[in-house]
């Protein structure tokens, strides 16, 4: 039994109102893998990097017990690089540089040791690579979670719809849910999207929390109000990693556990944004996570008895 | 013991993607009073209307047991009239017409029978009228809730700050909290605003719910995801009315009861937006409210045990 995450392992250069970084480690699979590693101990990544990535950076993953056998290193290649600048509200950003580099020809390889995949997170990538990953697993995983974004709805909608038919959970933001469904109301959007294949839909609303739809139910998870959001990069990926990591840990897939998984995902995301890049996700303790979960419980709890 | 609400009683003409109304009954005190009337039976309004308002419309309030002795009728005067058009997203709107009419010279009169005021809702009005109302009560109420908006921050900030020093609870939306505090982070905004006088701050986030700050704690209340938001007019007022109505009912003012009060306010607001104007708030049953509260409980509940 393992949790396999396919996605980018990359370099980011980030500017926020709080400061600026040179190239630092980023990528959806990196954030998701680190987040998941606090909840489950069999986390395995599938990705592609260049020779420039370097052992020190690989060790950030390895030191969290993450299996990187499936992270292909392209000789002479350069790693995917993204650079962005966040606006003052931290909810919008400009992409300054996108260099696909080795990601342009990403052909996901599944090591034999990954064929025990029980939980699969298809990180935000071309729907074609997401489908290839699924196709190359000998057995269908028990749970497939897919993350995507508006870009793929614009340029690869048909491919995206094909892979949606094969996933259990879709995570997108509210604008993307509206785009994918053509409905403004998130309730109506969820109805339409759940007919596209996923059994569960998670709508991420950033500082406004997240909604879970499925089994005819709906759950509203709060986001932790933070005094400072230092760098939002990777928050959605940390959320997805925490989410699937929790489900891998508890093993039973149902609405009740999905709700808790969303709280764990939200907690990991809340740590992620407190420092630049993966910094905060590298050194959490079990106590950190436990006390953050307690904050979420206090934040949302009310008792009405009549 | 009574709950006194000061605010507009008025006419609205509304256009939404779902339809269009002629002049219908509106006004902050109307929405708040109707909402409160489902939770507390001593609701008294202070407002001013013109002769055009008519007995049928007054009876909408009276039939809910609301005391209108404090609603002054100006002979030959015309009632406040607002007309607006909502955009497709229902979160933004254009004001088409604002005719202050009798509201321009509103001089709030407190009937002797209102001097038993224990709970006071200062609806969205000029801060000067809000202050006059407070000043004209012989005894300070046990709880004062103030609603305001960005317009008064723009044109009457000093007056607003004076009245803020005398209130227990302030309700504003997130953009207004940012404007009033000069801080983007709502956590920092709340810290600053709570130093201006109120012991509690409620930040209304529309379809994203509400945040309560006070006593060093924070609570995040969900909004009920709705398939159709028919007409958002009055939702904030219904929220405020339901909120203070619940506190008047339970009598004890503390963070725990404030949280529940926000859920009741949110429930009343969720009814409000399901039809045009006050239509839905005129004919609710106790069963309607109870089952709506159950929906909120199911929406927010999760249980993590470790």
């Amino acid at each position: 039994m393992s949790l396999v995450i396919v996605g980018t392992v990359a370099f980011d250069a980030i500017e926020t109102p709080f400061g600026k970084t040179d190239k630092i480690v980023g990528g959806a699979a990196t954030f998701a893998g680190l987040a998941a590693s606090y909840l489950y101990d069999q986390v395995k990544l599938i990705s592609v990097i260049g020779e420039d990535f370097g052992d020190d950076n690989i060790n950030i993953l390895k030191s969290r017990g993450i299996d990187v056998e499936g992270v292909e290193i392209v000789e002479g290649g350069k790693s995917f690089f993204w650079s962005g600048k966040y606006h003052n509200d931290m909810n919008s950003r400009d992409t300054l540089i996108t260099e696909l580099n080795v990601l342009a020809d990403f052909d996901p390889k599944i090591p034999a040791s990954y064929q025990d995949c029980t939980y699969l997170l298809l990180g935000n990538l071309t729907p074609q690579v997401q489908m290839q990953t699924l196709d190359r697993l000998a057995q269908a995983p028990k749970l497939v979670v897919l993350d995507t974004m508006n870009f793929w709805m614009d340029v690869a909608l048909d491919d995206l719809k094909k892979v949606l038919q094969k996933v259990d959970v879709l995570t997108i933001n509210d604008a993307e849910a509206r785009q994918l469904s053509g409905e403004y109301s998130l309730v109506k959007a969820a109805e339409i999207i759940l007919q596209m294949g996923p059994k569960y839909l998670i709508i991420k609303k950033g500082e406004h929390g997240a909604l879970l739809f499925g089994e005819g139910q709906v759950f509203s998870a709060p986001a932790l109000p933070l005094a400072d959001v230092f760098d939002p990069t990777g928050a959605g990926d940390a959320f997805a990693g925490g989410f699937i990591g929790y489900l891998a840990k508890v093993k039973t897939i149902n609405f009740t556990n999905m709700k808790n998984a969303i709280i764990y995902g939200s907690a990991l995301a809340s740590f992620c944004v407190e420092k630049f890049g993966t910094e905060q996700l590298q050194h959490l303790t079990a106590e950190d996570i436990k006390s953050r979960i307690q904050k979420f419980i206090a934040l949302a709890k009310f008792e009405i008895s009549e």
Side-chain angles (χ1 to χ4, degrees), chain A:
Chain A
M1 299 233 296
S2 68
L3 162 53
V4 173
I5 297 172
V6 57
T8 54
V9 172
F11 286 123
D12 291 338
I14 297 155
E15 192 175 338
T16 82
F18 295 98
K20 201 174 161 169
T21 71
D22 289 329
K23 278 191 180 185
I24 56 174
V25 173
T30 308
F31 285 104
L34 289 172
S37 73
Y38 291 99
L39 299 167
Y40 193 63
D41 60 4
Q42 292 291 315
V43 177
K44 303 177 178 183
L45 299 199
I46 298 173
S47 193
V48 62
I49 55 179
E51 270 190 295
D52 58 342
F53 200 73
D55 286 346
D56 285 357
N57 288 326
I58 287 280
N59 283 335
I60 291 174
L61 298 165
K62 282 186 179 169
S63 69
R64 289 289 321 144
I66 297 170
D67 188 337
V68 295
E69 192 190 341
V71 178
E72 182 189 3
I73 304 172
V74 177
E75 262 183 63
K78 284 182 72 182
S79 302
F80 175 53
F81 173 55
W82 177 81
S83 173
K85 182 178 173 171
Y86 288 86
H87 302 163
N88 280 333
D89 67 5
M90 287 289 192
N91 283 323
S92 56
R93 67 186 187 187
D94 293 325
T95 288
L96 304 176
I97 302 168
T98 304
E99 292 175 5
L100 285 181
N101 298 328
V102 296
L103 193 66
D105 301 310
F106 183 26
D107 183 31
K109 317 248 181 333
I110 321 266
S113 66
Y114 282 37
Q115 290 292 351
D116 66 347
C117 171
T118 317
Y119 307 94
L120 175 65
L121 173 58
L122 298 168
N124 176 26
L125 285 167
T126 78
Q128 203 188 354
V129 169
Q130 293 176 320
M131 185 66 99
Q132 281 170 338
T133 307
L134 266 176
D135 285 346
R136 291 171 186 180
L137 286 167
Q139 278 196 301
K142 180 168 151 189
L143 180 77
V144 181
V145 177
L146 182 138
D147 188 34
T148 189
M149 69 185 294
N150 52 352
F151 181 74
W152 307 116
M153 297 173 195
D154 292 337
V155 306
L157 185 59
D158 287 346
D159 285 347
L160 178 59
K161 284 188 171 171
K162 275 179 208 151
V163 68
L164 280 181
Q165 289 172 18
K166 307 205 165 199
V167 309
D168 301 292
V169 183
L170 170 65
T171 73
I172 45 180
N173 71 28
D174 39 359
E176 289 156 354
R178 285 169 175 144
Q179 178 174 349
L180 184 59
S181 65
E183 283 285 349
Y184 188 82
S185 154
L186 296 179
V187 172
K188 290 184 180 174
E191 275 174 24
I192 289 170
I193 292 168
L194 290 175
Q195 285 171 4
M196 295 179 178
K199 293 184 217 36
Y200 302 93
L201 169 67
I202 295 171
I203 299 179
K204 299 175 286 184
K205 303 195 297 174
E207 65 160 333
H208 301 303
L211 293 172
L212 167 67
F213 293 90
E215 300 184 17
Q217 298 180 66
V218 55
F219 170 59
S220 173
L224 193 66
L226 295 168
D228 289 310
V229 172
F230 207 77
D231 171 17
T233 310
D237 306 310
F239 173 88
F243 173 79
I244 197 166
Y246 177 84
L247 289 173
K249 177 183 164 188
V250 298
K251 294 184 179 61
T252 308
I253 310 300
N254 58 33
F255 199 81
T256 299
N257 286 341
M258 290 259 167
K259 294 198 288 186
N260 291 352
I262 285 181
I263 299 299
Y264 273 86
S266 303
L268 269 305
S270 76
F271 284 120
C272 179
V273 304
E274 288 180 329
K275 292 197 178 167
F276 270 120
T278 60
E279 203 181 330
Q280 186 82 321
L281 288 184
Q282 291 178 34
H283 309 290
L284 296 173
T285 64
E287 193 45 53
D288 290 335
I289 293 171
K290 194 173 172 187
S291 91
R292 186 59 56 97
I293 293 292
Q294 291 304 318
K295 281 193 180 179
F296 274 85
I297 292 172
L299 179 66
K301 194 176 184 180
F302 63 90
E303 279 176 281
I304 291 174
S305 52
E306 349 210 341

